[in-house]
Amino acid sequence: MLNSAQVVTSGPIITIERHILEGQLAHPEATGVLTSLLYDIALAGKVIASQTTRAGLVQVLGKAGEVNVQGEEQMKLDVIADQTITRLNDHTGRLAVMASEEHPDIINISANYPTGKYVLLFDPLDGSSNIDYTIPVGTIFAIYQRQSTGGPGVLEDCLQPGRKLVAAGYLIYGSSTLLVYSAGNGVAGFTLDPSVGEFLLSHPNIRIPENPRYYSANQGYQLRWSKGIQAYTRWIQGEDGGRKGLSLRYVGSLVADFHRNLLAGGVFYYPADNKNPQGKLRLQYEANPLAFIAEQAGGYASNGTRPILDVQPERLHQRTPLFIGNRFLVEKAEEFIRLND
Ligand code: AHG
Ligand code: MN
Ligand code: MN
């Protein structure tokens, strides 16, 4: 018999399945396919979590010996996470096409299986350089409706702007396993209770706090930033009557840095610099899904000059500068860039 400490200490116990289903009921035209797709992502999260929480024991630490399309060393868990998500979704008949950070091209659905109306883009393991140091890592996902009509999905289905997102979210594999998602009606967070293997509602209706606490940027690159971004950083640190009292927190896992700022208030920025003139983060499976979450939670995300969600993607692995968090902090970054760069 489960004691209360094992499940949820008080109040109603709401599983992610029930939450997704209730969200679907708000759309009479819904067919339940998106609900099932979100279930599959939660299941993929459970499987990946089972690997990340014992990575040191099951010899999945370290490099996979491959280099991905980004030219980055693939970690074993990158590959495991990628295979988990593709194998959970490639036969269900819910998707027309997928795309992953770990695959150079789109991932077509085999002719042996039916295609569906959704498109799934994902970063199977975000922050993978942190795996060997037991720093939280995550998965980021973005769901669109296919634009192509019939047959296998095509690249254009994966190059839709963030404004067209149907749902998006992320998982964090850290001190606990958390799934945060939005299907366009606000943001909710679910914590995995390993004793029952269920994601239980732990963060209903997430809203970014008005009064921010943190800023997150890799200041090791500060000398490579533009004048505007260096001035913005000094403003954030309180120079010239700027924003006092923001603490610097940066772990180098986008999902973990973003999540902290979403819950506590703050801004994360990974600007373009003279080494990464387009920025480092990827538009389609890092910036757009988190920008969707940020806006659904009352925040904002920009590439420094315009909303991330308005950018028309040109390439699957297109990179972008990213400023994301409290709207006024992100708009202040846009102002410093406009006035100084
Ligand atoms: P990924 O592991 O999916 O390649 O993402 C890593 C990204 C992101 O998680 C993080 O914000 C950023 O890389 C950290 O980059 P730096 O180490 O250059 O700060
Ligand atoms: Mn990533
Ligand atoms: Mn990744």
Side-chain angles (χ1 to χ4, degrees):
M1 184 58 186
L2 295 174
N3 63 48
S4 59
Q6 275 181 322
V7 190
V8 179
T9 47
S10 64
I13 297 177
I14 299 175
T15 63
I16 190 167
E17 286 79 2
R18 176 126 58 83
H19 190 276
I20 295 167
L21 206 51
E22 284 167 1
Q24 175 196 323
L25 298 179
H27 299 273
E29 75 288 357
T31 59
V33 175
L34 177 62
T35 296
S36 308
L37 176 50
L38 286 166
Y39 288 3
D40 295 340
I41 289 166
L43 178 55
K46 293 178 195 174
V47 174
I48 296 168
S50 73
Q51 296 292 325
T52 54
T53 48
R54 52 199 178 96
L57 303 175
V58 291
Q59 300 315 313
V60 293
L61 288 177
K63 301 188 182 347
E66 303 288 326
V67 172
N68 65 12
V69 64
Q70 328 284 338
E72 293 161 348
E73 285 264 28
Q74 277 185 324
M75 306 298 280
K76 286 176 190 154
L77 273 178
D78 279 324
V79 176
I80 291 172
D82 179 70
Q83 290 174 354
T84 300
I85 296 169
T86 45
R87 289 173 53 205
L88 260 168
N89 286 284
D90 63 2
H91 60 284
T92 59
R94 305 197 234 280
L95 299 177
V97 64
M98 289 186 264
S100 161
E101 175 192 358
E102 305 303 331
H103 293 248
D105 305 310
I106 60 174
I107 305 166
N108 284 118
I109 302 300
S110 153
N112 303 327
Y113 301 119
T115 54
K117 66 179 183 179
Y118 289 104
V119 177
L120 175 64
L121 310 180
F122 56 97
D123 175 357
L125 206 75
D126 174 68
S128 36
S129 60
N130 285 318
I131 293 166
D132 293 2
Y133 315 120
T134 319
I135 289 171
V137 293
T139 296
I140 309 172
F141 61 91
I143 298 171
Y144 292 91
Q145 287 219 5
R146 72 179 300 172
Q147 297 301 300
S148 58
T149 50
V154 294
L155 176 59
E156 286 64 31
D157 289 316
C158 302
L159 295 180
Q160 300 179 58
R163 287 285 173 223
K164 288 189 176 273
L165 278 163
V166 170
Y170 57 89
L171 288 119
I172 298 187
Y173 313 109
S175 49
S176 58
T177 298
L178 191 69
L179 189 154
V180 174
Y181 89 99
S182 174
N185 296 306
V187 181
F190 300 80
T191 299
L192 180 64
D193 182 323
S195 65
V196 293
E198 276 288 356
F199 278 103
L200 304 181
L201 183 63
S202 51
H203 299 72
N205 193 25
I206 297 176
R207 301 291 292 172
I208 192 164
E210 285 299 313
N211 193 19
R213 287 179 56 194
Y214 300 114
Y215 76 100
S216 305
N218 187 337
Q219 293 195 234
Y221 304 153
Q222 191 154 348
L223 299 180
R224 304 198 310 228
W225 294 343
S226 71
K227 287 199 306 304
I229 294 163
Q230 296 199 31
Y232 173 63
T233 302
R234 290 194 300 273
W235 175 83
I236 273 201
Q237 293 164 338
E239 187 182 77
D240 298 340
R243 188 77 211 162
K244 292 197 186 333
L246 290 191
S247 296
L248 172 60
R249 290 284 188 283
Y250 189 82
V251 295
S253 285
L254 171 61
V255 280
D257 284 319
F258 171 71
H259 182 68
R260 180 205 316 105
N261 293 352
L262 181 70
L263 293 193
V267 59
F268 169 98
Y269 52 105
Y270 202 111
D273 59 37
N274 52 30
K275 183 173 165 244
N276 292 305
Q278 300 306 318
K280 173 182 182 182
L281 300 173
R282 279 55 58 111
L283 175 62
Q284 284 310 79
Y285 41 81
E286 289 176 315
N288 258 330
L290 297 188
F292 181 77
I293 293 290
E295 290 208 4
Q296 283 288 318
Y300 174 49
S302 168
N303 65 2
T305 56
R306 57 193 300 223
I308 286 282
L309 295 178
D310 290 346
V311 175
Q312 174 53 55
E314 308 294 337
R315 296 176 314 285
L316 192 56
H317 299 288
Q318 175 169 335
R319 296 176 189 268
T320 177
L322 177 63
F323 301 77
I324 188 167
N326 285 86
R327 174 171 285 277
F328 79 95
L329 289 177
V330 176
E331 288 177 342
K332 195 68 177 173
E334 291 177 326
E335 183 189 319
F336 271 96
I337 291 167
R338 194 168 48 248
L339 297 177
N340 296 279
D341 288 355

